[in-house]
Amino acid sequence: MLSADSSDFAPVPPLGNGAPTIDLNLDRTLKQTFGHDAFRPGQREIIERSLQGGDILAIVPTGGGKSLCYQLPAIVRSGVTIVVSPLIALMQDQVQSLQANGIHATFLNSTLDSQESFKRIQALLRGEIRLLYVAPERLLSDGFLELLDRVRDEVGIGGFAIDEAHCVSAWGHDFRPEYRQLRLIRQRYPQVPVTALTATATDRVRLDIVDQLALRSPFVHIASFRRPNLYYEVRPKEKRATYREILTRIRQGGSGIIYCMSRRQVEELTAKLTADNVTALPYHAGLPGSVRADNQTRFIRDDVQIMVATVAFGMGIDKPDVRFVIHYDLPRNIESYYQESGRAGRDGEDSDCVLYYSAGDVGKVEWLIQQKTSEDEQRIARQQLRQISDYAESTECRNTIQLRYFGEHFEGNCGKCDNCCNPKPIEDWTIEAMKFLSCVARTKERFGTNHLISVLRGSKSQNILKWGHDQLSTYGIGKDRTADDWKMLVRSLLHQGLISETTDGFPILKLNALSWEVMKQQRSVEIAIAPKPKLDEIDDRTGSTMTGQALFQELRALRKKLATARSVPPYVIFADSTLRLMAQKKTTTLDDLGRIAGVGAFKLDEYGEAFVAAIRAYSEGNAADLSSTHLTTLELLKQGWDLERIARDRGLQVTTIYGHVAKLIETGQIVEVDRYIDAETRSRVDAAIAQVGMDRLTPIFEALNGTVSYGEIRLVCAMRSVSGSAAADLTGQSS
Ligand code: ADP
Ligand code: ZN
């Protein structure tokens, strides 16, 4: 299998052999032009090799930062870099993002009229373009190749970048025959280095890319497929509770995608959300193409918060700031789940992936599988269904399971999934299992889950009476458990192989050898207890997050205004993470703003003033809320007094002074807290807040057994409320 280390794959081309040594400060270019502070793993090496003239194959998951690997070389070396990209929408996005950084990029495709094309071609031939994006079919047309010959002769071709390179492979999921002919460019321009990029990881596809594109001893970089900024969670699906949970998540803010299985489900959920004042749009294959395109644009531009969609939505969306992806229904298999949920957090910011799971959904998919005519297809679909439901039922680290699917070993304990962060309690349910299994035996192994549960719970329904099942010794012996409890047990028994299920027609439960061991008390049964739906969190949580991020929200609003004026998506102006840093650091000078990650020279010039002005206005507006007693404390703090001394001198309680400091933090007058609370205490408070929330102080105080004062707790809460839970970053410690 593949390892993330590429050394076993291909001989690395000799470095600097004949190629001019380029002495460049790549870090400086990275910050100046792209605004980033550091390279991500692999990026620097790829860029260096590429600048030395070598071919590259970069296999990096979505959001890993592939584009930079060819964009940075493109702006530092001579000649034009030609980027082959399969989708017009993606091309446009990329070009807009580059232009927003002041980089001369353009595209040629069928959406342009001849006059516009002509203009762009002239600019190209004058050497004014660094990156040119084209679709493969255009690149290979006669006229275009002739144009490229002229470009080579007059301004030079610096490199080719083949994006979504897995499209060359019939083994991949998006085979495009026109990609096959890209080999032509290697023949026609043998000296020009080629960089191929993809997010698809299988061995077969990888070998196919090297072969089909005739790459020469490429440097192969395979990044880990782990997405450390995504939090993975599986939750029980129960109609009403699930809807309320989703609503809660939506109200916490951020763009989200909700995937549903059917068009009807998409329409229903969209209508329901709209009625609850959520801005949401539908997307599915039943809508006319123009409506789909329009809805997609409105989502990307943040005109609406939520996209409710079938799997038709995704290929070709490049929105980096999707904060959550919810699967309202079961995905088809683990790979699709990885790709669909992976549309969250491409910008590297923390984002959530929630899968709602119910046994009923498994039944529905099984029924759909039975409708397939080919036996082969049925077999594959069944295996995939088994894998995805195993994933949902498992108590193992979600990342470990997903990565195993891609042949990557991951130890687990990721700290970013429900199973690692909130392991489900394991309970001994041997007695319940015995009750259930003997009910299966007494009903002669001829019924499905729901009927059996009705018997156990003593239902008086027609169906039970008809079969005389109210006469059985197991009738009514399971009243102490809810129907959901019993369903959870059945899922677990199936998952552990302690009972079997027929797969033709309606699923009927059958006893197997292990079932008998349980009934004979030769084997005990332990099950993981699923979490209950969160019923009453809606109103409490939303309030505090909304107010806490007031400045961040204002900066977002400013960004939206600037974006609309330029008709670009907001993320093209600044990423969420950049706005959050601005809100935390309250940068009120251009110099300080320029040091923030994500602010390059061009953007500083273009937008700096507007953002600095907004932050100033905000800070001043808030300072007006402070009374003179706060300002006196602030003055004394500035003179270096500690809190005890201020309290003593002013004849006030220390707690009161802590309250002042908290208020000063909330209004942005104080941004550093190292002076007032040590890192260890602070992280203990953070941990307690993670457990009990921060709506009230007393539960936090109690969770810490009274070892931390109310004053200090208030400080931590104030810090968190100004900057969300990321507040700890301010002082450089991670919480
Ligand atoms: P993909 O691999 O999916 O094509 P992109 O190239 O679109 O990913 O990059 C994803 C996000 O990561 C973008 O928002 C980009 O600005 C950001 N990014 C890329 N490289 C870096 C870096 N070195 N530091 C910070 N952010 C980066
Ligand atoms: Zn985990």
Side-chain angles (χ1 to χ4, degrees), residues 226 231-232 395-401 410-421:
R226 163 115 207 267
Y231 184 87
Y232 279 100
T395 50
E396 201 180 359
C397 171
R398 309 274 181 210
N399 273 297
T400 303
I401 308 175
F410 178 69
E411 273 308 326
N413 221 339
C414 68
K416 295 288 281 183
C417 80
D418 52 350
N419 284 343
C420 291
C421 296

Side-chain angles (χ1 to χ4, degrees), residues 349-648:
E349 286 259 304
D350 282 350
S351 308
D352 305 315
C353 306
V354 187
L355 165 60
Y356 282 98
Y357 178 74
S358 77
D361 278 0
V362 177
K364 263 191 242 163
V365 178
E366 258 157 11
W367 187 84
L368 287 173
I369 293 175
Q370 279 158 31
Q371 313 311 305
K372 289 184 192 282
T373 45
S374 140
E375 245 175 60
D376 243 16
E377 274 181 39
Q378 283 199 0
R379 192 174 44 78
I380 294 169
R382 276 223 177 81
Q383 187 189 354
Q384 291 182 332
L385 174 63
R386 175 62 69 195
Q387 284 168 332
I388 188 72
S389 56
D390 275 355
Y391 169 83
E393 301 269 342
S394 178
T395 50
E396 201 180 359
C397 171
R398 309 274 181 210
N399 273 297
T400 303
I401 308 175
Q402 287 187 21
L403 294 173
R404 190 189 297 136
Y405 189 84
F406 295 112
E408 193 178 324
H409 174 75
F410 178 69
E411 273 308 326
N413 221 339
C414 68
K416 295 288 281 183
C417 80
D418 52 350
N419 284 343
C420 291
C421 296
N422 305 301
K424 294 184 193 111
I426 304 289
E427 286 180 10
D428 187 321
W429 279 42
T430 311
I431 304 283
E432 285 80 357
M434 287 169 63
K435 286 182 184 173
F436 188 84
L437 295 172
S438 62
C439 192
V440 176
R442 306 240 178 246
T443 52
K444 311 238 171 352
E445 302 177 56
R446 283 167 56 195
F447 294 88
T449 309
N450 288 336
H451 185 89
L452 293 161
I453 292 176
S454 301
V455 175
L456 283 168
R457 297 197 9 95
S459 153
K460 295 190 175 59
S461 77
Q462 207 45 51
N463 216 7
I464 302 288
L465 304 180
K466 183 179 84 192
W467 289 97
H469 286 167
D470 53 335
Q471 304 302 316
L472 296 175
S473 59
T474 50
Y475 181 76
I477 59 171
K479 281 187 179 147
D480 53 332
R481 296 276 180 200
T482 65
D484 284 333
D485 285 342
W486 287 112
K487 282 185 195 160
M488 174 174 73
L489 172 70
V490 176
R491 283 203 304 275
S492 189
L493 291 175
L494 281 166
H495 184 63
Q496 298 183 51
L498 301 178
I499 194 170
S500 308
E501 189 178 38
T502 56
T503 49
D504 48 338
F506 293 102
I508 286 170
L509 295 172
K510 299 272 183 196
L511 301 174
N512 60 27
L514 294 181
S515 317
W516 287 105
E517 287 181 19
V518 174
M519 284 197 281
K520 289 185 204 145
Q521 284 191 290
Q522 291 161 351
R523 175 184 282 276
S524 64
V525 177
E526 296 193 326
I527 71 166
I529 305 297
K532 296 273 177 258
K534 304 171 192 161
L535 264 180
D536 39 31
E537 283 176 21
I538 284 203
D539 307 313
D540 330 339
R541 283 173 65 176
T542 47
S544 61
T545 29
M546 295 313 271
T547 52
Q549 299 193 329
L551 175 54
F552 175 63
Q553 296 303 348
E554 278 191 26
L555 298 180
R556 278 178 62 106
L558 171 62
R559 177 179 69 172
K560 175 71 182 142
K561 223 164 61 192
L562 295 171
T564 306
R566 290 164 174 73
S567 43
V568 295
Y571 66 79
V572 165
I573 307 234
F574 283 124
D576 276 3
S577 57
T578 304
L579 295 190
R580 196 162 293 124
L581 284 171
M582 288 182 195
Q584 276 173 24
K585 304 210 160 146
K586 305 223 165 49
T587 43
T588 49
T589 65
L590 283 176
D591 271 358
D592 289 343
L593 195 75
R595 274 191 281 276
I596 285 190
V599 185
F602 187 82
K603 288 186 177 174
L604 184 64
D605 235 35
E606 191 81 1
Y607 312 116
E609 284 295 351
F611 281 87
V612 162
I615 296 166
R616 259 193 224 131
Y618 178 88
S619 302
E620 281 158 15
N622 270 321
D625 289 348
L626 293 171
S627 65
S628 65
T629 180
H630 296 115
L631 295 172
T632 308
T633 297
L634 181 63
E635 205 38 52
L636 295 173
L637 287 170
K638 280 186 181 157
Q639 289 171 26
W641 289 32
D642 63 26
L643 305 195
E644 278 77 19
R645 182 165 169 208
I646 297 174
R648 230 179 309 123

Side-chain angles (χ1 to χ4, degrees), residues 30 34-41 43 60-71 94 97 101 163-164 197-199 227 318-321 342 345-348 571 575 577 597-598 603:
L30 182 68
F34 295 92
H36 302 320
D37 291 333
F39 286 103
R40 294 206 179 136
Q43 284 179 331
V60 179
T62 304
K66 279 186 290 295
S67 335
L68 191 84
C69 299
Y70 62 85
Q71 290 172 348
Q94 293 258 359
S97 292
N101 277 321
D163 208 0
E164 314 288 349
L197 311 104
T198 177
R227 300 279 309 277
D318 201 5
K319 186 170 168 53
D321 54 357
R346 291 181 59 138
D347 54 8
Y571 66 79
S577 57
K603 288 186 177 174

